Amino acid sequence: MIDTPGIATKIDYEDFLKYNMKRKEAKERAKKATQGVIESIKWLDDMDVVVVVLDATENPYNQVNITIIGNLVARKIPVLIVGNKIDLRKADAKKIEAAFPEYDVVGISAKDGKNFEEFYESIFKLAKKI
Amino acid sequence: MSKKRGSGKNLGKIKGFSIQFLPYSEIRDLNSNERIRKILGIVLGNNILILQGKLKSEEEIRLIGDTMAMIGHVKDFKGIELAVISGNVEKNLVDKMRTEIVKVLSRGDLGAITIIGPATIVKEIKRNPRKIELLLSK
């Protein structure tokens, strides 16, 4: 099991400035982020299943490039989409299901362990298809 | 593509962007390296590319990797926005077979459209099953 950074298509060091970082530090963080994405892409060839974790309290479209998910499927890598933080009132796992109707979606709370059984079962189900 | 257009000199200046449509026939006979080079040339020239058809999945992921490697090395380059819309929603086996035959004959998925733009210009591409929205930077 490998935990990698998400695959972004753009990285702007100015986004890091919003977190009170100095310009030089922000540029360094952005550089590390780009290297992280490159590493993640390299790992993809060795993946049996990919679990894409989203924040269920945020707009799903803003968190992941839908084309990248399609790309994983085209490369015959099964994808499970997980909506985390369903313990929060603001969370809306249905919104994620609506955004990704072609994929398996499970809502979980990593904080209190809610729905983990369903999460594991979904991974096993996908793994069996390989 | 001229040196000036591909230099990334104009990146980030919304004033000079343009939209380029590339028919699939322009990339059909190119190998993966040439396709990616051609696309990068267009995007670095401050253009939003609308490509007929779609890249192979390994080309798509390589394009993302290559553009990531360019961030920090090409002035003002912050990556790309990428979206693929496929018109091929096969409802049954016959439709699926028909689509596959067309794909083989045309040597590409002509039912799809790929949109690629520099992130400095294309702030976000919103896609849902009914429409695609390009949000541009100010």
Side-chain angles (χ1 to χ4, degrees), chain A residues 46-126:
Chain A
D46 299 319
M47 292 298 115
D48 298 315
V49 174
V50 169
V51 178
V52 178
V53 183
L54 303 183
D55 183 337
T57 67
E58 302 284 341
N59 181 349
Y61 288 111
N62 293 346
Q63 298 178 68
V64 64
N65 186 322
I66 200 164
T67 301
I68 291 172
I69 296 184
N71 186 286
L72 296 175
V73 175
R75 288 155 63 95
K76 308 224 184 300
I77 303 171
V79 173
L80 174 66
I81 297 173
V82 170
N84 190 22
K85 301 190 187 178
I86 58 162
D87 54 295
L88 299 178
R89 197 178 288 176
K90 216 181 137 195
D92 190 353
K94 295 271 175 224
K95 214 172 179 178
I96 298 177
E97 283 172 25
F100 304 103
E102 305 123 77
Y103 305 102
D104 293 321
V105 177
V106 181
I108 64 157
S109 167
K111 189 180 168 190
D112 60 23
K114 195 175 176 185
N115 252 3
F116 264 55
E117 280 305 312
E118 194 189 335
F119 169 57
Y120 290 135
E121 275 172 25
S122 301
I123 291 181
F124 294 142
K125 215 191 287 175
L126 277 181

Side-chain angles (χ1 to χ4, degrees), chain A residues 7-14 33-34 37-38 41 44 59 61-62 65-68 70-72 74-75 101-102, chain B residues 54 56-58 60-61 64-65 67-69 71 77-84 119 122-124 126-129:
Chain A
I7 297 176
T9 61
K10 57 181 182 181
I11 290 170
D12 186 353
Y13 79 89
E14 287 180 6
T34 58
V37 175
I38 292 168
I41 287 172
L44 281 183
N59 181 349
Y61 288 111
N62 293 346
N65 186 322
I66 200 164
T67 301
I68 291 172
N71 186 286
L72 296 175
R75 288 155 63 95
E102 305 123 77
Chain B
K54 60 184 286 188
K56 291 177 194 160
S57 51
E58 59 270 23
E60 215 170 70
I61 212 82
I64 296 168
T67 49
M68 277 293 129
I71 297 174
F77 185 66
K78 293 170 183 174
I80 56 169
E81 269 292 356
L82 167 80
V84 181
V122 185
K123 196 175 161 197
E124 194 182 341
K126 280 189 181 176
R127 202 199 86 156
N128 72 35

Side-chain angles (χ1 to χ4, degrees), chain B residues 18-29:
Chain B
S18 68
I19 296 174
Q20 273 195 28
F21 176 76
L22 198 66
Y24 191 74
S25 56
E26 286 287 315
I27 62 160
R28 181 181 287 138
D29 298 322

